[in-house]
Amino acid sequence: EVMRDISDIDNLEVKLNQTLPVKKVKVVPGDADQDEDVKQLLGQAAAHEMNQLVQDDSIVTVTGGSTMAAVASQLHPIDRIRPLFVPARGGLGDMHEYQASSICVQMAKQMNGSYRLLYVPDTVGKEVYAKMMEEPAVKDVISLIEKANMVIHGIGDALKMANRRKASAEQMDILKENSAVGEAFGYYFDQNGKTIHQLNSIGMTKEHLTDDKNVITVAGGTSKCKAISAFFKWGRSDVLIIDEAIARYLLTQQ
Ligand code: F6P
C-alpha cells in the first residue's frame, strides 16, 4: 500500500513537470486543508529545495503566511552558508506571526543568517506611501529585494485572504464582482491572471519577479486549487511545491 502511494506521487510529479511552466514540481501526499501535518510536509520539502539553491551571498525574499511559517520551522544551518533574508512586502494587514517580517526573522535565525526589515505601518495613505518610498532605509531594502537571487512565497485564495486581512465591504465587493480567485505578494488576481486589486504596501512588486531570481512557490489545500492554476497566468515560478490535492486538480486542468 505504502509503495503504491509513493509511486503514485512520483507519477503526479512527472506528469506535472511535463505540463507546468516550472523547472521542478514537488508533491507531498495529502490535503493541507484536511490535515495540519501536510503543511509541515510542504515546509520540509520547501526547506529541502531551498537548501539546494541557497549560497553564502544569497539574498532571499520571503512572504508571510502559515505555509511560510512551516517552511521557516524546517530550516537548519548549512556549513559556511549565511543567507540574507528580506521581507517581500511591508505590512499587508496580516497577523503578526504570519507577517513576512516575522517569517524573515525566523528564517534568518534557523539558518544562522541575517535579515533586514521594512518598517512600515500596515495601512498607509498614498501620500505617506510616496514619502516612505523616499526614505533611505526603505530604499536600501527595496534595492536588496531587487537584487535578491531567491524568492520564496505562498499563495492564498483571494476571498479567504481578504477576510483574513479584514478587507472593507467595498473591497470585498470589488474582488467578488471581478471574480478574484488568488492572492500573492499583495496582488489579487482572477483566473486569467489579471490583477484585480493591489494592496498599497511597500516592497516587492510584480516587476521584481524576474527570470534571474529563483522563485520557490509553496502552497497546499483544496481551497487554493483555483488560486494556484491562476498564479501561473499572473506570475512565474521555478520550483513549485504543492500537496496531492492541488496536484490532482492541476492535472485535470491540462
Ligand atoms: O500574507 C502573505 C501570504 O504569503 C499571501 O501572499 C498568501 O496569500 C498567504 O500568505 C498564504 O497564507 P497561508 O500560507 O497561511 O495559506
Side-chain angles (χ1 to χ4, degrees):
E1 175 75 273
V2 171
M3 284 305 288
R4 206 200 58 206
D5 283 355
I6 291 169
S7 65
D8 211 25
I9 295 284
D10 282 348
N11 258 327
L12 288 173
E13 286 178 354
V14 170
K15 283 189 196 145
L16 286 171
N17 263 311
Q18 289 164 351
T19 50
L20 291 174
V22 290
K23 295 191 188 111
K24 190 169 181 183
V25 182
K26 284 305 289 178
V27 178
V28 304
D31 178 345
D33 285 350
Q34 304 293 326
D35 181 357
E36 267 298 309
D37 294 346
V38 175
K39 212 168 261 179
Q40 288 306 315
L41 290 179
L42 287 168
Q44 236 170 47
H48 180 80
E49 293 306 318
M50 206 170 136
N51 283 348
Q52 318 232 292
L53 295 168
V54 81
Q55 279 162 7
D56 189 41
D57 55 359
S58 286
I59 303 173
V60 185
T61 304
V62 303
T63 73
S66 61
T67 312
M68 283 304 111
V71 177
S73 73
Q74 298 288 342
L75 291 172
H76 297 286
I78 313 176
D79 254 1
R80 286 183 290 275
I81 289 186
R82 303 276 179 275
L84 170 63
F85 293 90
V86 287
R89 304 290 297 253
L92 290 173
D94 292 327
M95 273 194 300
H96 180 74
E97 60 267 47
Y98 289 165
Q99 276 175 19
S101 53
S102 314
I103 307 286
C104 189
V105 172
Q106 206 200 338
M107 285 191 174
K109 273 192 187 158
Q110 298 275 118
M111 292 195 81
N112 291 336
S114 54
Y115 62 85
R116 295 285 302 276
L117 298 180
L118 275 164
Y119 295 100
V120 283
D122 266 9
T123 43
V124 294
K126 280 216 165 65
E127 275 168 44
V128 179
Y129 178 85
K131 277 259 177 322
M132 295 213 62
M133 290 299 282
E134 288 165 22
E135 280 294 319
V138 171
K139 278 188 176 168
D140 258 19
V141 179
I142 304 264
S143 79
L144 289 173
I145 291 171
E146 277 164 6
K147 274 193 287 197
N149 327 79
M150 198 185 289
V151 177
I152 181 153
H153 76 102
I155 299 181
D157 170 73
L159 298 185
K160 210 164 151 183
M161 283 312 294
N163 269 318
R164 196 197 270 181
R165 289 168 176 160
K166 305 199 169 39
S168 66
E170 192 190 341
Q171 271 177 7
M172 289 300 281
D173 284 346
I174 294 175
L175 296 178
K176 283 180 194 160
E177 276 163 24
N178 293 285
S179 315
V181 295
E183 191 280 344
F185 304 105
Y187 291 77
Y188 291 89
F189 43 83
D190 70 10
Q191 64 172 353
N192 301 313
K194 183 179 159 217
T195 298
I196 302 301
H197 178 65
Q198 181 192 359
L199 291 176
N200 198 6
S201 85
I202 289 175
M204 190 173 154
T205 64
K206 195 181 178 212
E207 286 65 44
H208 293 135
L209 218 53
T210 44
D211 287 348
D212 56 327
K213 293 180 173 50
N214 254 315
V215 181
I216 306 180
T217 305
V218 196
T222 301
S223 60
K224 293 188 184 182
C225 282
K226 287 200 175 122
I228 287 152
S229 77
F231 175 80
F232 287 105
K233 299 191 177 121
W234 177 85
R236 58 169 295 276
S237 176
D238 296 291
V239 181
L240 177 69
I241 297 151
I242 49 177
D243 64 8
E244 193 182 344
I246 290 175
R248 293 198 188 282
Y249 174 83
L250 289 177
L251 279 177
T252 67
Q253 294 300 99
Q254 303 305 316

